[in-house]
Amino acid sequence: MKSICLLLVMTLPFFTMAQNSPSKDSAAYYRCELAKLWHKYRDSMLRSEEYASLNAKLNNLPVDKRKYVSFNMFADVVHNDYSKFNQSITAAGFTELEPISFRFGCGITVKSKRNIHDIGFFSVGLKNQAQRGNETIKSFFSNVMQYDYGFDLLQSNAVSIYPYAGLSIRASMLRYEQPMQINPGTTNISDLVIPNGSAYLSSTKIGYQAGLGIDVTVSNFNNSRGSVILFAKGGTNGPIGRERYKTNDSDITYNYDIRHADWMITFGIKFAGRD
């Protein structure tokens, strides 16, 4: 019996290998053989003198540094005019909303000689809040799908200075919140919680932006086919038409005389590539 068990243990790997090896009549077998053939000829091509010569000629071609496509990451310092809104909320006992807020975002740039096309996928604003005890008023301001056209005044390989203008979708939000309160005289679950009266209002408009930008190339790599570019932009960002706020449950609009981004400064980095 022991001899039989030992024989089974010794032959088990051979059965396993036979099951794992693809049959010569199977699709898996031919895919495996094609993959081996592809790797063989690819390695042969990469080691050939002809490939090395063509690759060297490609890398030695002159590169126009004024053309590139880049992925961008940036941060905004935004000034907001809350003067009239702050007068109304401080009269009710709240602290003031700070005029300076911050945002972050990302996008791409396509540059061709003097023409600079900036596309911002999103710029998300961090909350700015005022308080009265446990109650808060929060303000947010963001942009999505922002397009700016700039015109390079210098046509330099290292520095670009450009006026720009464009359009975007802008979203402004106001939120009033107070903590949930428990009714001490509750008689059943329906009156356990005292309604907290929180409110959420928003305004979505087509916006415009305009200002002046500067790009500075700080690093080149891969024979100048890649670059790291630092940039800054300063200008204004406003709504087309009057900005009015409304809740999701009502068509009534409210005008709070808030002016988001009457001026703003953007700092960012571009990771650029060229053909």
Side-chain angles (χ1 to χ4, degrees), residues 46 48-63 222-223 225:
L46 293 177
S48 68
E49 293 183 3
E50 185 179 6
Y51 176 85
S53 174
L54 291 172
N55 196 45
K57 290 178 181 178
L58 174 64
N59 290 332
N60 290 331
L61 287 174
V63 176
N222 191 22
N223 293 322
R225 297 187 184 279

Side-chain angles (χ1 to χ4, degrees), residues 206-237:
I206 298 297
Y208 66 88
Q209 52 277 343
L212 187 70
I214 179 170
D215 293 357
V216 179
T217 301
V218 296
S219 176
N220 292 306
F221 53 92
N222 191 22
N223 293 322
S224 295
R225 297 187 184 279
S227 297
V228 176
I229 302 170
L230 300 181
F231 71 95
K233 299 169 75 172
T236 187
N237 184 322

Side-chain angles (χ1 to χ4, degrees), residues 74-80 98-105 123-128 139-142 264-265 267:
F74 55 86
D76 297 329
V77 180
V78 183
H79 181 269
N80 310 289
E98 294 294 331
I100 299 296
S101 61
F102 302 93
R103 311 191 309 173
F104 64 91
S123 301
V124 178
L126 304 179
K127 68 179 180 181
N128 188 0
S139 175
F140 302 85
F141 166 61
S142 301
M264 61 184 293
I265 301 174
F267 301 96

Side-chain angles (χ1 to χ4, degrees), residues 150 162 211:
Y162 50 95

